[in-house]
Amino acid sequence: MAEMSRELVDRLYTVPPDGFVAARAEAVATARAAGDVAAAREIAKLRKPTVAAWLVNLLVAHRRELVAELVELSAGLHAAQRELRGPQLRELSAQRRRVVSALVGEARTLAVEADPRLAAGKLPLAEVETTLNAALADADVAEQVRSGRLVRAASYAGFGEVPRPQLRLIVGGPEEAEPPGAGAEGAGAPTAGPAPEARPETARRRRDARSTAAEAKSAEAKSAEAKSAEAAEAKAKAAETAEAEAEAARAEARTSRRRALDRALADARARQERAEAELARVVEVERDGAATLAELEKALADLQRRRVAAERAVGQARVARKAAERGAVAARRRVGEVQAAVEALAAEDRSSGKPGRAPGKPVREAHSSG
């Protein structure tokens, strides 16, 4: 227990009971992860409190001044009981009821603050009241309550406003130093019975013996009840320890699974980074390709315009060529016609005995004279 932090234990015993096992398992796993095996083992042994015990622990944690007032009131009640001061005892009893009632109300308020779901449920406030009254009557119970680590409600059947009688068996004494008939005077005397003055003492002894027997029987019954309660508590503690160990094992499994998931997440993130880097590279390549394509399309459009202009120039040249061809044909036809006329004229001249001209030579005089 020395290995554990007091703050940790106090915190665990103010956790609502339905979350105690999980909180304890988490604390065990944390201690094991820190390498503190002894503390983890001691934490696993902590017992789960009942709802009533949890409510009392809440009072100790958050209303310590009221619990201290209850303890002071207990001392006054015990003193008044011992001295049988009736008026003071009645006043202290009334004060006890007020303090206990206030503590019970505070317990309910603290429970609802810790877990609002409890506002609609029924809380074991009667057990809280019984435990507080037991703390007033029994110093051991008071010490358990003040520790803030109560695991179950307590009760004290013997508490009351009138103190219980302190009964004991008186053995020995002047009257018993010499039993009747043991002295010399009684050696031959008749044993008719005890002297009259010895009868009250005998009756008192009988009453004391009966009371002692009753107390012994009550003590035996309480001892048997205590043993039964101890056995039940041991069984409950064993069950809680097994539950704690199982919860710790589950927590360890969750931790292992979390580590595996963390590794898987790190691997997935690395793959994501690589994929995103590849995506960025491909996007860059696509951007460069798009730019190249745009340049080529621009060049293609320019070539297309130049092609259209060239086609237009070729068409115009073709038209001019055809016109030139027609002109050439007409010129050749005219040359042929003129040549034929010249040849015809030369033939006429030969036939008339006039000197002819060389073919193809123009006759300027004839044209000029004619």
Side-chain angles (χ1 to χ4, degrees):
M1 197 67 178
E3 302 286 341
M4 290 187 296
S5 167
R6 178 178 178 83
E7 290 76 10
L8 170 64
V9 179
D10 292 342
R11 180 176 60 82
L12 284 176
Y13 277 102
T14 54
V15 172
D18 57 355
F20 178 86
V21 174
R24 180 181 59 190
E26 182 179 355
V28 169
T30 301
R32 286 181 177 173
D36 197 345
V37 179
R41 188 181 300 112
E42 292 298 325
I43 294 171
K45 292 179 182 179
L46 294 176
R47 298 172 57 190
K48 174 183 175 182
T50 63
V51 177
W54 170 64
L55 293 173
V56 176
N57 293 336
L58 284 180
L59 288 173
V60 176
H62 301 288
R63 298 295 184 269
R64 191 173 294 273
E65 69 284 354
L66 292 179
V67 177
E69 181 181 352
L70 187 72
V71 173
E72 293 177 1
L73 181 59
S74 172
L77 277 170
H78 281 263
Q81 285 177 332
R82 286 192 302 268
E83 299 172 8
L84 296 178
R85 297 195 301 266
Q88 185 180 3
L89 186 61
R90 286 191 293 273
E91 181 181 352
L92 291 173
S93 297
Q95 185 179 354
R96 180 202 69 188
R97 287 190 290 270
R98 288 194 299 272
V99 172
V100 170
S101 177
L103 283 170
V104 171
E106 288 294 326
R108 177 177 179 79
T109 301
L110 292 172
V112 174
E113 289 177 358
D115 189 353
R117 295 175 300 176
L118 297 176
K122 184 177 180 181
L123 294 171
L125 300 179
E127 295 182 35
V128 175
E129 182 177 359
T130 301
T131 302
L132 295 175
N133 284 327
L136 281 169
D138 192 306
D140 292 337
V141 176
E143 184 62 27
Q144 294 177 19
V145 168
R146 280 198 301 268
S147 71
R149 302 174 185 181
L150 202 64
V151 295
R152 61 183 67 254
S155 61
Y156 185 76
F159 183 81
E161 295 183 358
V162 179
R164 292 176 294 169
Q166 301 295 325
L167 302 177
R168 60 187 178 89
L169 177 61
I170 301 175
V171 181
E175 294 83 357
E176 295 183 352
E178 188 175 338
E185 294 179 357
T191 57
E197 60 274 11
R199 290 176 182 174
E201 180 64 23
T202 302
R204 183 181 63 78
R205 291 177 181 175
R206 288 177 179 174
R207 287 196 301 271
D208 289 346
R210 286 195 298 270
S211 299
T212 302
E215 285 190 350
K217 185 176 180 180
S218 176
E220 289 178 0
K222 288 183 178 180
S223 176
E225 182 180 355
K227 289 181 180 178
S228 176
E230 288 177 359
E233 287 188 4
K235 184 177 180 181
K237 185 175 181 180
E240 288 183 1
T241 302
E243 181 183 2
E245 291 176 352
E247 185 64 27
R250 288 193 291 270
E252 187 71 22
R254 286 195 297 270
T255 301
S256 300
R257 184 183 177 191
R258 187 180 299 113
R259 290 173 181 169
L261 289 175
D262 289 341
R263 289 193 297 269
L265 179 61
D267 182 66
R269 284 177 175 171
R271 291 185 179 183
Q272 179 185 1
E273 290 178 358
R274 291 195 296 270
E276 288 180 351
E278 180 66 16
L279 175 61
R281 187 188 66 79
V282 173
V283 168
E284 185 67 22
V285 171
E286 181 186 10
R287 187 182 297 113
D288 293 342
T292 302
L293 179 62
E295 292 177 359
L296 291 175
E297 287 180 348
K298 182 178 179 181
L300 181 62
D302 183 62
L303 289 174
Q304 186 70 23
R305 287 192 299 270
R306 292 171 61 185
R307 178 175 179 275
V308 170
E311 288 179 349
R312 186 182 299 112
V314 169
Q316 293 175 353
R318 185 178 294 113
V319 171
R321 179 180 61 78
K322 289 181 179 180
E325 287 178 350
R326 287 194 299 272
V329 169
R332 284 194 294 272
R333 187 183 302 116
R334 178 63 179 162
V335 168
E337 291 176 353
V338 173
Q339 184 68 32
V342 169
E343 290 177 354
L345 180 59
E348 289 178 2
D349 289 341
R350 283 193 302 272
S351 63
S352 62
K354 293 179 179 181
R357 300 183 303 272
K361 299 287 184 177
V363 185
R364 294 181 180 177
E365 295 82 359
H367 283 289
S368 61
S369 61

